[in-house]
Amino acid sequence: DVISVLSALIITTIQFRLVSHLHPGVSLSSVVVDRTFRGPFEEVCRAVNTALEFDEAVKLKNNMKKFVALSTCASTREKLKTTLFGGQRIRVALDDILVGFNVTVRRSIRRARQDLRMEEAIRIARRISNSGVPADLKQHATATAAVTKMLHGNLWTLPSARSINKGRTAVISAAFGPRRCMRCPEIVLTTLVNPVRCDPLSAIAYRGICDTRRLLRNSCDRMYKFVEVLAQVGTLPNVQGPAHGFTPLLDACGCEHTITQNDIIIKSIYTGRSTSLTLGSCAAFKNSLRSAVTRNIREQLVKRLSNDPEHDSVSRKDMVGITATLDDHAITQPTWRKNIN
């Protein structure tokens, strides 16, 4: 209930102020009562013991079986296995699930959790497709139930390409019926619907970049550290983290980034339109990102269809010479007039 949540937030806030004062070298974060401590080995151990003493003083009980220690250093993990916290040993692992997000210290990408969520979303889309409701309700249910299920837990790590392709097919079948699958999915996603709501990959990338913008705008120190690591992306292989997960999100939107003195500029590869990641209007930023996503999907259609039917037997004769530039106003205006009338 509300009173229990407020009490937990108050106690956690008081505890974090105490730990921050006694151990300034430890970074703290929490989701209600799920607390995380990050920093040097010895400093973190002292900070955790201080938090446990605080819990004992205010008569709070901890389930030590849920405590997990992670470290990127193998020798530190061996020390953690023999370290006592509150008189007990805790579990030491390479990865863990924190409020639905996979936190890992491995140097390889972990996509199992994301793929499981995609499979569940695909099952939801298939149930929607088999329901007997009208087509407009199916489209709304697909965007609010199936696609929304795909978004959570994908902030820094995308699902596998196989899961994304299966999810796109399931979403199109559920929202528009199996006959719409005879059309090119790029046409359906960019002309009939909003791609950032119905296309799984575009929706994940759109939300991930918007969440990154929100997180960086809230803290100058976080922004400084993010830019510092982002400048090193590509120099070290197999590195996991926010900055290294941010670049695949941009690639999914057909964008590239440029680091300036005080900001990060996102530029569409195909339209050349630029926007600031942290400055300016949120509405303008989202509109620019949505335009980049739409153009990127259409460019994928152009690349997929060959313009030389003499040397490629799979080319469609009705799409020879197709380009990614469409008159969106002419496409949406008849529908808008019909709704007004």
Side-chain angles (χ1 to χ4, degrees):
D1 54 357
V2 177
I3 297 178
S4 300
V5 173
L6 289 177
S7 301
L9 291 175
I10 293 172
I11 293 175
T12 303
T13 302
I14 297 173
Q15 181 186 97
F16 274 19
R17 290 184 178 181
L18 173 64
V19 174
S20 298
H21 176 72
L22 297 178
H23 310 281
V26 177
S27 300
L28 305 173
S29 62
S30 70
V31 180
V32 189
V33 295
D34 291 337
R35 299 161 292 180
T36 60
F37 299 76
R38 183 178 180 181
F41 167 69
E42 296 181 355
E43 191 70 16
V44 168
C45 292
R46 289 193 292 265
V48 172
N49 286 320
T50 300
L52 293 176
E53 293 175 2
F54 177 91
D55 292 340
E56 185 178 357
V58 298
K59 305 304 180 182
L60 293 178
K61 293 184 179 180
N62 292 292
N63 186 357
M64 300 303 294
K65 294 181 180 180
K66 295 184 177 180
F67 278 51
V68 182
L70 306 177
S71 177
T72 57
C73 180
S75 60
T76 303
R77 289 195 294 269
E78 294 298 326
K79 293 180 182 178
L80 287 169
K81 292 179 181 179
T82 58
T83 303
L84 299 179
F85 296 92
Q88 301 183 37
R89 294 180 180 179
I90 63 175
R91 181 165 61 93
V92 180
L94 294 174
D95 48 46
D96 190 47
I97 304 299
L98 181 62
V99 291
F101 288 87
N102 185 32
V103 181
T104 179
V105 296
R106 302 176 187 266
R107 299 190 65 181
S108 59
I109 298 177
R110 313 290 291 180
R111 305 185 191 271
R113 184 76 178 183
Q114 288 80 356
D115 288 348
L116 288 176
R117 191 173 293 276
M118 287 290 293
E119 292 293 336
E120 178 63 26
I122 291 172
R123 286 193 289 268
I124 294 174
R126 289 173 178 170
R127 289 199 296 268
I128 295 173
S129 178
N130 296 329
S131 63
V133 299
D136 57 339
L137 293 181
K138 285 186 178 181
Q139 182 177 345
H140 179 72
T142 303
T144 56
V147 178
T148 304
K149 186 74 173 180
M150 301 175 183
L151 298 181
H152 185 71
N154 296 313
L155 182 57
W156 308 126
T157 305
L158 295 174
S160 63
R162 177 176 175 273
S163 296
I164 291 176
N165 293 333
K166 290 177 60 179
R168 172 182 280 188
T169 302
V171 166
I172 295 177
S173 300
F176 306 105
R179 291 184 178 86
R180 290 290 178 91
C181 292
M182 298 177 65
R183 295 184 177 181
C184 293
E186 296 87 354
I187 298 297
V188 175
L189 294 173
T190 59
T191 59
L192 301 181
V193 296
N194 185 353
V196 299
R197 292 196 62 197
C198 291
D199 179 37
L201 179 59
S202 300
I204 291 172
Y206 178 80
R207 179 181 176 180
I209 296 175
C210 290
D211 286 348
T212 303
R213 171 184 169 89
R214 175 179 54 83
L215 293 171
L216 297 182
R217 282 164 63 97
N218 292 337
S219 173
C220 295
D221 183 61
R222 186 183 299 143
M223 173 67 179
Y224 173 78
K225 293 180 180 179
F226 184 84
V227 171
E228 185 180 12
V229 178
L230 185 62
Q232 304 177 17
V233 171
T235 58
L236 298 176
N238 299 329
V239 178
Q240 305 301 308
H244 291 76
F246 178 68
T247 51
L249 297 179
L250 292 180
D251 294 338
C253 298
C255 297
E256 58 185 7
H257 71 277
T258 303
I259 301 176
T260 61
Q261 184 176 2
N262 299 317
D263 196 14
I264 300 173
I265 303 299
I266 297 177
K267 180 181 178 181
S268 174
I269 299 175
Y270 303 108
T271 64
R273 185 176 178 180
S274 301
T275 183
S276 171
L277 179 62
T278 58
L279 304 177
S281 169
C282 290
F285 175 80
K286 292 180 179 180
N287 181 58
S288 176
L289 192 59
R290 185 164 52 248
S291 300
V293 167
T294 303
R295 182 59 179 269
N296 181 57
I297 295 176
R298 291 173 180 171
E299 290 288 347
Q300 293 176 3
L301 174 64
V302 174
K303 294 178 180 179
R304 186 166 60 86
L305 299 175
S306 173
N307 294 333
D308 189 2
E310 295 182 358
H311 298 86
D312 193 349
S313 59
V314 300
S315 298
R316 290 184 53 170
K317 296 180 180 180
D318 59 336
M319 289 190 175
V320 174
I322 189 174
T323 65
T325 303
L326 298 178
D327 189 349
D328 293 318
H329 181 74
I331 295 172
T332 58
Q333 191 70 9
T335 305
W336 177 78
R337 289 181 180 273
K338 181 179 178 180
N339 294 335
I340 292 298
N341 296 332

